[in-house]
Amino acid sequence: MQLTVWTYEGPPHIGAMRVATAMEGVHYVLHAPQGDTYADLLFTMIERRDKRPPVTYTTFEARDLGTDTAALFQRTLKDAYERFRPQAMLVGASCTAELIQDDPAGLAKASNLPVPVIPLELPSYQRKENWGAAETFYQIVRTLAGPQAPTAVTQRRDANRRPVCNILGPTALGFRHRDDVTEIRKLLGEVGIDVAVVAPLGASPADIARLGEADFNVVLYPEIAGVAAKWLKRTFGQDFTTTVPIGHGATRDFVSEVRRIAGLPEEETIDSRPASNLPWFSRSVDSNYLTGKRVFVFGDATHALAAARVATEEFGFTLCGLGTYSREFARDIRAAAEKYGVEPLICDDYLDVEQAIAAAQPELVLGTQMERHIAKRLGVACAVISAPVHVQDYPARYSPQMGFEGANVLWDSWVHPLVMGLEEHLLGMFRDDFEFHDEAQPSHLGAGARIPAEPASASTTSAIPPADASQVRKPASLDGDLISFDWLTEAEAELKKIPFFVRGKARRNTEKFALERGLSEITVETLYDAKAHYSR
Amino acid sequence: MSGALVNPVPVLPSRGCSDLPVLRERGQREVFCGLTGIVWLHRKIQDAFFLVVGSRTCAHLIQSAAGVMIFAEPRFATAVMEERDLAGLADANEELDKAVSRLIERRPDIRMLFLVGSCPSEVIKLDLSRAAGRLSERYSPDVRILNYSGSGIETTFTQGEDNCLAALVPQLPESRAETSQLLVVGALADVVEDQFARLFDAMGIENVRFLPPRRARDLPPVGPSTRYLLAQPFLGETARVLDERGASRIAAPFPLGAEGTTLWLKAAAEAFEIDPMQFRAATAAAEARARRALEPYHAELSGRSIFFFPDSQLEIPLARMLSRELGMQLTEVGTPYLHRHHLAEELALLPENTQLSEGQDVDRQLDRARTARPDISVCGLGLANPLEAEGLTTKWSIELLFTPIQGYEQAGDLAALFARPLDRKTRLRV
């Protein structure tokens, strides 16, 4: 058993639901106990869909267990077909139904429905949501596109038409999938490539059947479409893209890659004016203060890898941690972490992630909804780059992560939580301001503090209510507990003069410095010796 | 179509409203399981911790239901069963002990730990009550460890609270009181609890206790002198185990609306032989205030039709309040489970032609709602937006569990919850 406070991914049948809900004309019959219908509200509330997901649950109860739950499943399947008349059906079990072993696959076959029925084997006690989505999409593609496979892969390009590709990977409940698809479709159009099918999002079984007609595949989300893309390559000889176009540089690389795969000539002249505002914004002097800011990145592997590259190459940040909960992509993350000189963190235990972030002392966390909780506790700035996310990250406005407009969105949303340049300077210069101080929110983030009528003493000016304040301080004692150093009062006071967002790092470095030199007490001198030594 | 699944059994109507015909249906049920009760119970009993023994689905459910809350330290978690636990490679009991000890190390402030059973743990028949007994011995007297089931196969939504309170009852100290003592049962908002305590005091009923208590160590005593008053309609099992301890129930409708609150308090007053004059003196001003607060909503809601999808068992008391005090028309009142005995007083107050339904076949029920086109549909979050998109106005039902709605001072707020979606619809021009 694993003690779990928050889980990064749902069970695999949620992944299957994401694929079914993304598609048109597909219905999913899920053998599941009463209560598992909670999953509907992920789609109707968090993603704000205006239709019920195309999922029928058997919702068996304890009294059904004494009877024939297999018959219940078959009735539900038949009724769902009669009512919804889908073009294809998915059948599967949730974690509890997996235990009672009714064999939805065999039962569905015996029901002899006049449409393709795709049985899903999703081991709930080993695998998770993204794996479930990938497996479901793969099974759908195999079943529905498989019969169209040519006996031998033939030369497919008709030289007189524009190259055609499929876009694979976007699903329901995906982080910004809606706008990523729009952005990449537009980008491909500008390059001179047409899009045949986008799948699973918006695709019908008939669309899946014609996946083989395209020249190649664009894989936007390898976690979901990777397996299916490999199968399509084996079966139809379709190449697929491996660059995920998140960030300005990655988008340029992506364009070169699709040009190469599509057999289009190299771009003649590199346009002097970049298609995204990010390069100029990042070069403008206002961004100078972003240089070397320490950033911790965690998320699904695709978004984490992309964020690491953007953060270091395009924002000028320093990466101080890189991790993912996608075990399937652990190798890529390890390779990248080595390149950046950080420890890779491959883990789905929220508490371990929290510990790693506290130890790394970042100034900015780029992560998921859970890292938002952690960052709030630690009092660190945070932006969300990956699922799992909550309702505010399914915005009304156009907000892709991919392509050139995506890079603009990344720029705005990552810089926003940081203290702005001038305020950062002033905080470093004047420490005792009653209104602008360490624990107050950056003033551009609004209602952080209520200003007392008269400036009170420093301790009572805290912008954060007492309960929160104690939580904010917790991590400091947490990491300080390892070895206790004797900080002389003066040194401690001097430490407080360092701006709060780098103070944790300064404390750490000083203690490390003292440890290495066998110093038992830390003076102001030690602090500055350490500073000179590490010269941040 | 789905005829095979459904057996509508209209009970023959006979004398009075208490024998309203009930449509009983079976099919897909769009309801929460009992684990959801943790979302409010962990806030009510502040030093208790809820450890679900289940699958990743269970963990995902609670975090989706509690998703928007930001916890510094959540007071619930899940021990997620893995392949090894199922294959017998690991002794599930040893694994559970490990999870509990890791948890108690992290959270030394925990005084009461609930091991909450789920569908997977029930299906593999993991004996959590034995585990709770074993662990209690190890951690006593610092931590008391109890268990109950919140599984979907056994409980629907609020029944999780019922099972939790029922698990608490054997832990309550034996009451040695000679005279009758009042116990109010069911988790109420703190503000509501305080108002009721003041009203009982003004009526002259002393030493009123509440179950669940706000802290695990303040367990109220119970015994043959205990008279208990249910504040919530979904407490069948809790009532049964209270009866076993010798306590006796005071029958009453539930304290929703001005009338409901008065009848509820009055039942207690009569059981404790309070002078009617003193009862009126204690309640008259508050009741009048509640009626005044309801007036503007009566104008807005009177004559409007309402349809209840089953969710929490609060549907029947709510329908009673909305029809009698606000003049709303009841189309169908669905409830996941109908406890005829506890709801007898409520049923007697419902209009005679009310269509009740127990259980659910959600697709057929949606068809009925689409045909009836009620002015408001009370339903869960899985149905609300899709119905709005079809042009039906909805009131999502969980809010009724997360908002103070009982008692006099909240009568207006309760009405406002139903008036707001209609108000919004008339405001919007987009």
Side-chain angles (χ1 to χ4, degrees):
Chain A
M1 276 178 212
Q2 191 203 353
L3 184 65
T4 306
V5 183
W6 296 110
T7 165
Y8 283 97
E9 291 182 77
H13 72 259
I14 298 289
M17 281 185 72
R18 287 176 54 188
V19 172
T21 307
M23 292 180 67
E24 308 283 339
V26 171
H27 200 87
Y28 183 20
V29 175
L30 181 61
H31 205 15
Q34 161 176 275
D36 279 4
T37 52
Y38 82 87
D40 284 358
L41 70 86
L42 303 172
F43 299 94
T44 62
M45 295 303 289
I46 297 180
E47 205 186 5
R48 238 184 276 255
R49 285 188 170 249
D50 61 359
K51 278 198 297 238
R52 295 177 63 214
V55 182
T56 299
Y57 307 76
T58 54
T59 62
F60 56 84
E61 295 171 73
R63 59 181 168 176
D64 297 314
L65 293 179
T67 62
D68 195 352
T69 48
L72 172 68
F73 177 81
Q74 256 179 323
R75 279 203 304 274
T76 310
L77 178 67
K78 205 164 139 280
D79 288 348
Y81 174 73
E82 292 290 337
R83 181 175 278 272
F84 298 103
R85 297 280 170 171
Q87 297 163 37
M89 295 192 91
L90 304 172
V91 297
S94 78
C95 53
T96 306
E98 192 183 326
L99 298 172
I100 58 177
Q101 300 188 326
D102 276 332
D103 183 24
L107 292 169
K109 201 165 174 217
S111 299
N112 243 336
L113 293 179
V115 292
V117 178
I118 303 159
L120 301 174
E121 294 287 339
L122 307 175
S124 312
Y125 297 90
Q126 295 167 10
R127 306 290 188 168
K128 289 176 280 191
E129 179 176 332
N130 281 337
W131 188 90
E135 171 69 10
T136 304
F137 185 50
Y138 166 65
Q139 293 297 347
I140 290 175
V141 169
R142 249 182 74 132
T143 312
L144 301 175
Q148 272 72 32
T151 38
V153 176
T154 46
Q155 188 59 40
R156 49 194 331 109
R157 267 306 296 281
D158 171 357
N160 294 326
R161 66 161 169 81
R162 278 162 56 111
V164 177
C165 72
N166 301 311
I167 295 181
L168 303 182
T171 63
L173 213 67
F175 177 62
R176 308 292 168 90
H177 288 192
R178 178 196 70 189
D179 298 340
D180 283 348
V181 169
T182 309
E183 185 65 19
I184 295 307
R185 189 195 271 277
K186 183 172 139 259
L187 181 68
L188 289 168
E190 285 164 6
V191 174
I193 297 168
D194 290 335
V195 175
V197 177
V198 178
L201 193 64
S204 67
D207 292 330
I208 300 290
R210 55 190 187 86
L211 279 180
E213 293 168 15
D215 300 318
F216 67 100
N217 289 313
V218 167
V219 176
L220 290 191
Y221 308 101
E223 273 92 346
I224 291 158
V227 195
K230 280 182 197 136
W231 182 84
L232 286 165
K233 179 163 170 70
R234 285 199 302 278
T235 312
F236 296 101
Q238 292 167 322
D239 274 329
F240 58 87
T241 59
T242 53
T243 313
V244 177
I246 298 179
H248 185 264
T251 303
R252 296 210 81 120
D253 294 352
F254 171 79
V255 170
S256 323
E257 190 183 20
V258 291
R259 279 182 172 280
R260 182 176 53 71
I261 296 178
L264 294 174
E266 297 272 318
E267 228 168 339
E268 301 85 30
T269 50
I270 302 291
D271 196 345
S272 56
R273 224 161 39 91
S276 159
N277 291 325
L278 185 144
W280 168 241
F281 273 53
S282 193
R283 283 174 193 284
S284 72
V285 293
D286 188 48
S287 309
N288 229 315
Y289 83 110
L290 299 177
T291 315
K293 279 219 181 282
R294 300 167 50 76
V295 55
F296 191 102
V297 173
F298 193 86
D300 68 27
T302 300
H303 286 89
L305 288 170
R309 175 172 173 188
V310 176
T312 50
E313 295 179 7
E314 299 176 22
F315 280 64
F317 291 152
T318 299
L319 203 67
C320 68
L322 175 64
T324 185
Y325 56 81
S326 316
R327 284 187 189 279
E328 292 86 353
F329 293 80
R331 192 184 300 168
D332 304 286
I333 291 282
R334 284 204 185 92
E338 199 181 320
K339 193 180 104 193
Y340 294 112
V342 294
E343 274 295 303
L345 177 67
I346 315 293
C347 123
D348 59 357
D349 189 329
Y350 168 83
L351 299 174
D352 291 348
V353 177
E354 184 179 72
Q355 212 167 17
I357 293 178
Q361 299 280 351
E363 293 163 71
L364 175 68
V365 176
L366 299 175
T368 73
Q369 176 72 18
M370 279 82 208
E371 280 64 55
R372 210 185 249 176
H373 293 206
I374 295 169
K376 188 179 178 194
R377 265 192 76 187
L378 304 185
V380 182
C382 178
V384 169
I385 57 154
S386 158
V389 291
H390 210 66
V391 63
Q392 62 270 50
D393 278 301
Y394 294 92
R397 66 180 184 279
Y398 185 56
S399 19
Q401 300 282 291
M402 291 184 176
F404 294 118
E405 183 57 26
N408 294 341
V409 172
L410 294 183
W411 177 264
D412 292 342
S413 51
W414 295 8
V415 171
H416 179 77
L418 297 169
V419 181
M420 292 172 76
L422 178 62
E423 184 157 333
E424 182 174 312
H425 283 301
L426 291 175
L427 281 170
M429 285 176 71
F430 309 110
R431 322 274 332 145
D432 295 331
D433 194 287
F434 68 94
E435 187 177 0
F436 304 104
H437 54 84
D438 278 6
E439 287 182 351
Q441 281 223 52
S443 63
H444 73 288
L445 296 183
R450 217 167 256 163
I451 310 303
E454 282 177 44
S457 71
S459 62
T460 54
T461 346
S462 170
I464 305 155
D468 278 10
S470 65
Q471 288 147 17
V472 171
R473 290 203 194 91
K474 225 173 199 167
S477 66
L478 191 128
D479 60 55
D481 279 343
L482 297 173
I483 308 150
S484 84
F485 278 94
D486 191 7
W487 280 77
L488 297 186
T489 323
E490 273 175 31
E492 189 81 49
E494 198 69 14
L495 181 70
K496 291 234 166 71
K497 294 176 190 164
I498 295 169
F500 69 96
F501 36 82
V502 286
R503 195 180 303 146
K505 188 69 194 168
R507 177 188 284 275
R508 243 159 209 260
N509 281 348
T510 309
E511 290 179 353
K512 196 168 152 205
F513 181 82
L515 183 72
E516 280 165 7
R517 278 155 193 75
L519 304 173
S520 62
E521 51 177 39
I522 293 175
T523 62
V524 176
E525 291 301 308
T526 327
L527 179 67
Y528 285 118
D529 284 344
K531 187 182 178 202
H533 179 75
Y534 291 103
S535 64
R536 184 190 114 76
Chain B
M1 296 228 302
S2 48
L5 258 180
V6 184
N7 304 303
V9 189
V11 173
L12 287 179
S14 57
R15 60 208 151 68
C17 319
S18 311
D19 292 311
L20 289 170
V22 178
L23 176 66
R24 292 208 171 77
E25 279 195 312
R26 296 195 60 192
Q28 181 182 323
R29 294 170 66 119
E30 186 82 16
V31 290
F32 279 127
C33 65
L35 295 180
T36 327
I38 293 170
V39 175
W40 66 90
L41 285 168
H42 84 279
R43 286 287 173 98
K44 182 72 198 176
I45 317 176
Q46 291 169 15
D47 46 5
F49 194 98
F50 294 80
L51 180 65
V52 178
V53 182
S55 63
R56 189 166 302 282
T57 311
C58 308
H60 195 238
L61 157 82
I62 307 184
Q63 108 181 19
S64 309
V68 279
M69 296 194 243
I70 306 290
F71 300 107
E73 279 284 3
R75 293 194 287 261
F76 52 77
T78 310
V80 174
M81 297 197 286
E82 293 163 320
E83 194 69 13
R84 313 178 320 120
D85 302 302
L86 300 174
L89 291 176
D91 184 325
N93 284 306
E94 277 174 27
E95 289 285 307
L96 182 59
D97 291 5
K98 260 187 252 166
V100 169
S101 74
R102 192 176 167 201
L103 184 66
I104 290 177
E105 272 167 34
R106 249 186 80 82
R107 300 294 308 269
D109 51 321
I110 300 171
R111 289 290 157 267
M112 183 176 274
L113 175 65
F114 287 98
L115 302 178
V116 189
S118 65
C119 302
S121 74
E122 299 289 337
V123 167
I124 66 163
K125 308 225 178 297
L126 186 59
D127 192 342
L128 289 183
S129 71
R130 283 233 328 254
R134 181 181 67 237
L135 288 162
S136 265
E137 269 173 42
R138 182 184 309 172
Y139 292 102
S140 101
D142 298 339
V143 192
R144 208 191 289 248
I145 297 171
L146 306 176
N147 97 288
Y148 72 91
S149 169
S151 72
I153 56 176
E154 288 169 316
T155 58
T156 306
F157 195 29
T158 47
Q159 282 177 305
E161 175 176 331
D162 187 21
N163 280 357
C164 174
L165 299 191
L168 266 179
V169 170
Q171 306 293 321
L172 304 183
E174 187 65 33
S175 165
R176 290 194 192 80
E178 301 283 315
T179 57
S180 293
Q181 303 279 307
L182 181 61
L183 181 65
V184 177
V185 187
L188 292 168
D190 292 347
V191 59
V192 176
E193 201 173 288
D194 294 343
Q195 287 166 11
F196 284 154
R198 283 199 297 273
L199 284 165
F200 286 123
D201 195 47
M203 283 157 54
I205 304 179
E206 285 162 3
N207 297 328
V208 179
R209 301 294 300 268
F210 292 85
L211 183 72
R214 294 184 199 183
R215 300 218 161 253
R217 58 171 180 274
D218 300 332
L219 294 175
V222 68
S225 60
T226 304
R227 307 293 310 273
Y228 67 91
L229 193 54
L230 297 180
Q232 301 279 15
F234 43 74
L235 298 172
E237 183 62 16
T238 309
R240 194 184 64 75
V241 288
L242 280 169
D243 291 343
E244 277 178 7
R245 301 245 353 223
S248 54
R249 184 176 72 94
I250 302 170
F254 294 91
L256 297 171
E259 180 192 44
T261 306
T262 298
L263 291 174
W264 186 74
L265 292 169
K266 197 169 171 197
E270 280 166 6
F272 282 77
E273 294 170 354
I274 300 298
D275 174 15
M277 291 302 287
Q278 194 178 355
F279 173 73
R280 288 315 299 162
T283 57
E287 187 188 327
R289 200 159 52 221
R291 290 191 190 281
R292 270 202 308 283
L294 286 173
E295 265 166 35
Y297 297 110
H298 189 277
E300 277 180 59
L301 292 172
S302 175
R304 304 278 200 158
S305 59
I306 189 162
F307 189 110
F308 282 91
F309 285 82
D311 191 51
S312 62
Q313 299 183 47
L314 277 166
E315 294 83 5
I316 289 172
L318 285 169
R320 179 264 303 158
M321 185 269 181
L322 294 170
S323 71
R324 289 175 64 92
E325 299 187 44
L326 295 165
M328 294 190 79
Q329 299 294 319
L330 307 177
T331 47
E332 176 174 334
V333 182
T335 178
Y337 177 70
L338 176 60
H339 196 300
R340 283 206 163 262
H341 193 48
H342 287 178
L343 284 161
E345 288 71 23
E346 289 286 352
L347 292 171
L349 294 172
L350 278 182
E352 268 182 57
N353 56 350
T354 307
Q355 173 64 65
L356 296 179
S357 66
E358 184 182 11
Q360 187 177 34
D361 178 329
V362 70
D363 286 311
R364 294 169 70 97
Q365 197 169 32
L366 281 166
D367 289 343
R368 292 199 297 276
R370 288 177 185 126
T371 309
R373 292 204 70 80
D375 293 316
I376 302 182
S377 304
V378 183
C379 61
L381 295 173
L383 300 179
N385 273 335
L387 284 177
E388 291 279 349
E390 291 181 27
L392 291 171
T393 304
T394 60
K395 165 80 221 95
W396 49 286
S397 50
I398 331 179
E399 199 174 9
L400 297 159
L401 266 297
F402 293 159
T403 314
I405 56 169
Q406 290 87 357
Y408 291 126
E409 316 306 341
Q410 284 67 238
D413 303 343
L414 174 56
L417 288 181
F418 292 90
R420 192 177 300 138
L422 291 170
D423 179 19
R424 183 163 185 78
K425 198 142 255 188
T426 58
R427 285 171 189 248
L428 296 182
R429 292 281 180 274
V430 289

